[in-house]
Amino acid sequence: MERAAVFDVDGTLVDTNHLHVVAWWEAFRQAGHHVPMHAVHRAVGLPSTDLVAHLLGDGRDEDQDADISAGHKALYGQYFDRLPALPRAGELLRRLHENGWTVVLATSAGGAELSALRRAIDADDAIAATASADDVREGKPDPEPVEHALELAGVPAERAVFVGDTVWDMQAGSRAGVRCVGVLCGGIPRADLEKAGADAVYADPAHLLSALDGSPLA
């Protein structure tokens, strides 16, 4: 039977979380909001509209939401030509592909941002499909992105593993009924990932690759 290895991208395969933090922090600052960077970091991985709501709360001026999100998009876009893949990320995807896994990306990125991320990973030959923000109505921690990735792979949840770096990833994967693997390279503590549903936690793609034979992706 087919097996699916579903991967988050930001903070999991590409070292972008702190670039997002700076871009969001500046977008909030420009809109007159002083949001601590540590709070922004914990919210990274949510869809843009949900992230703004999560950080500013229900009492905010919702008319600002679109401008804040657009500000983040413009600021983050300045990094598109130099996004850094995490160590051995592309090699990990190619190894899994060689081992018979169907590799699918499940990300809140879309359009030019997703293209830039895929260029950074440089493993298109191993990626069977991508469930992006353009394909779903709800983002993580809703299970829809992971469920859509499974549909693209044609694989049931019990034959899939989801790898991500945030609690939102672990919650989405758990709600979709797949085994979850966490990585620490996004900056979220091991205990938080495990509490949110991670069956195993590794430092980064290179660590997961080196420990592959004893991992849920064996």
Side-chain angles (χ1 to χ4, degrees), residues 10-30:
D10 281 299
T12 300
L13 297 171
V14 187
D15 194 9
T16 51
N17 279 12
H18 290 87
L19 299 178
H20 277 297
V21 170
V22 171
W24 276 116
W25 175 83
E26 178 61 16
F28 281 120
R29 191 195 67 80
Q30 291 178 2

Side-chain angles (χ1 to χ4, degrees), residues 29-182:
R29 191 195 67 80
Q30 291 178 2
H33 301 284
H34 298 285
V35 181
M37 288 195 187
H38 70 84
V40 177
H41 179 226
R42 301 288 294 195
V44 166
L46 290 171
S48 293
T49 53
D50 294 344
L51 183 146
V52 173
H54 179 76
L55 290 171
L56 296 185
D58 294 336
R60 71 190 186 283
D61 178 2
E62 295 185 21
D63 291 339
Q64 285 191 319
D65 287 9
D67 288 341
I68 294 171
S69 294
H72 162 263
K73 184 176 181 178
L75 290 160
Y76 180 67
Q78 298 175 31
Y79 301 113
F80 280 2
D81 63 347
R82 56 192 188 278
L83 298 179
L86 282 153
R88 304 182 76 184
E91 186 180 348
L92 171 62
L93 300 191
R94 286 190 291 271
R95 176 72 63 79
L96 290 168
H97 174 67
E98 291 167 1
N99 289 353
W101 291 82
T102 299
V103 177
V104 183
L105 306 182
T107 173
S108 58
E113 180 182 350
L114 178 57
S115 296
L117 290 165
R118 291 187 66 145
R119 285 196 301 272
I121 299 167
D122 192 24
D124 277 355
D125 53 320
I127 299 169
T130 301
S132 75
D134 302 325
D135 304 319
V136 297
R137 288 179 295 180
E138 299 293 335
K140 305 164 196 168
D142 190 274
E144 186 181 3
V146 180
E147 291 170 346
H148 183 55
L150 298 180
E151 291 172 4
L152 294 172
V155 173
E158 60 269 20
R159 297 284 298 171
V161 176
F162 179 46
V163 184
D165 68 297
T166 68
V167 295
W168 320 117
D169 291 326
M170 300 301 100
Q171 290 172 0
S174 296
R175 291 169 183 172
V178 303
R179 293 190 71 185
C180 295
V181 170

